[in-house]
Amino acid sequence: VSTQSTWGVLEQQQTKMLRAVASGVAGGVAAYFSSSVAFAEDWQAHPPHYPWSHQQWTKGFDAASVRRGLTVYMQVCSTCHTMWMMKFRHLQNVTHTEVELVKLAASVMIEDGPNEEGEMFMRACKPTDRFPAPFKNRVLAQNANNGLVPPDLSLISYGRHGGEDYVFSLLTGYREDLPAGTEPREGSYFNPYFPGCQIGMAPPLNMHGQVTYEDGTEASISQMAKDVATFLAFTSEPSCDTRKQYGFIFWSALIPLSLTLYWQKNRIWSTVKHRVYNYWGIGWTQGAGIRGVRPGDQFAHMGKEFVAVPPKSQLPSTAASETAKRA
């Protein structure tokens, strides 16, 4: 009775498990098709691909563009968005020298503490500090942005489909006219590249010459969007150029080494692969019964090539002695 009850419990558990799996699969299929329908109904556009130089395996980031993108971030984006995983020292020898980086970090104030009296105080940033956050906590960020917390931009290029193509298209894709049949939400802006096509962020790049570049580059909207997209791609992977350098050195050494080893392998095993054996036992007695092998025939046995020869008793004395010597 206990055995039957145990099997009954197991069958019930298996039935429940199968029902849960079936419902999960059905729910996933329904969510997929519903999301596809919503995607089509929302008029969402796929960002086009742009020829970024840093995506080529023989080239690195445009340091001048990354530096201009840092200017756009600090003057425009940093008022709302954080960059928690980025430190000032990550820019050393990429966009700034060590002296320039110290001056850049010192121009930004950050809250630190507590001090000996238990109070917080303001101090200038150091190269080892992270980029300061615009808000002290999430509640303040929500209250300042209509209940929404702006996303962190440290890994935004890796966290969005399309990477820097998406960032550039989003910043330059704001439209004033909505498609027919679309109702605008309060406090939202129409952008066909954003999921849902209505975004709560106002156009951050909205005028020509919004920032001033140190190198004198004209700060058009597309230029600022391109520079900040390049900068955000760099912050997502600051070691990208270093990995490319190590990869080039690795493949430069691996290809000649592989060719050398292949030539050496053929040279060493060439005498073994082309060797012909005169096998006495199988050659005449057993070999004759396998696939009709006769004296003088070549055949394969256990992965090796042989030539069938008669036993010593059936060979002339001179031929037998020479064959024995060769064996």
Side-chain angles (χ1 to χ4, degrees), residues 74-199:
M74 296 188 68
Q75 297 185 16
V76 180
C77 307
S78 62
T79 57
C80 298
H81 294 273
T82 60
M83 192 165 286
W84 178 249
M85 299 183 65
M86 192 68 182
K87 296 183 178 181
F88 288 97
R89 63 179 178 84
H90 292 153
L91 302 173
Q92 184 173 343
N93 299 327
V94 178
T95 60
H96 296 73
T97 62
E98 184 177 358
V99 177
E100 293 176 341
L101 190 62
V102 172
K103 293 181 179 179
L104 175 66
S107 63
V108 181
M109 302 300 293
I110 189 174
E111 187 179 30
D112 199 358
N115 54 17
E116 297 179 354
E117 299 177 356
E119 298 180 354
M120 306 298 290
F121 61 93
M122 302 297 295
R123 65 168 178 84
C125 289
K126 298 179 291 185
T128 55
D129 291 328
R130 302 179 186 271
F131 281 26
F135 305 102
K136 295 183 179 180
N137 50 61
R138 292 177 58 89
V139 177
L140 293 177
Q142 289 178 346
N143 295 335
N145 294 277
N146 297 324
L148 301 175
V149 179
D152 184 87
L153 299 182
S154 301
L155 302 175
I156 195 68
S157 292
Y158 280 179
R160 297 294 185 271
H161 177 70
E164 45 268 52
D165 294 330
Y166 168 80
V167 175
F168 178 84
S169 300
L170 181 73
L171 294 176
T172 59
Y174 283 88
R175 300 292 184 269
E176 295 181 359
D177 298 332
L178 276 70
T182 303
E183 296 182 0
R185 293 196 300 263
E186 183 179 359
S188 299
Y189 302 86
F190 176 70
N191 193 316
Y193 298 102
F194 185 76
C197 298
Q198 297 195 32
I199 183 173

Side-chain angles (χ1 to χ4, degrees), residues 7-119:
W7 280 108
V9 172
L10 292 176
E11 290 179 357
Q12 292 179 0
Q13 293 179 353
Q14 291 178 355
T15 303
K16 292 181 180 179
M17 185 180 298
L18 291 175
R19 289 178 179 176
V21 172
S23 61
V25 172
V29 173
Y32 173 79
F33 285 105
S34 63
S35 62
S36 301
V37 173
F39 180 89
E41 292 178 353
D42 289 337
W43 301 90
Q44 183 174 351
H46 183 77
H49 178 67
Y50 297 98
W52 304 95
S53 61
H54 56 268
Q55 291 184 347
Q56 303 179 18
W57 69 278
T58 56
K59 295 183 179 180
F61 283 100
D62 184 359
S65 182
V66 175
R67 181 162 181 163
R68 292 194 298 267
L70 172 66
T71 303
V72 176
Y73 168 77
M74 296 188 68
Q75 297 185 16
V76 180
C77 307
S78 62
T79 57
C80 298
H81 294 273
T82 60
M83 192 165 286
W84 178 249
M85 299 183 65
M86 192 68 182
K87 296 183 178 181
F88 288 97
R89 63 179 178 84
H90 292 153
L91 302 173
Q92 184 173 343
N93 299 327
V94 178
T95 60
H96 296 73
T97 62
E98 184 177 358
V99 177
E100 293 176 341
L101 190 62
V102 172
K103 293 181 179 179
L104 175 66
S107 63
V108 181
M109 302 300 293
I110 189 174
E111 187 179 30
D112 199 358
N115 54 17
E116 297 179 354
E117 299 177 356
E119 298 180 354

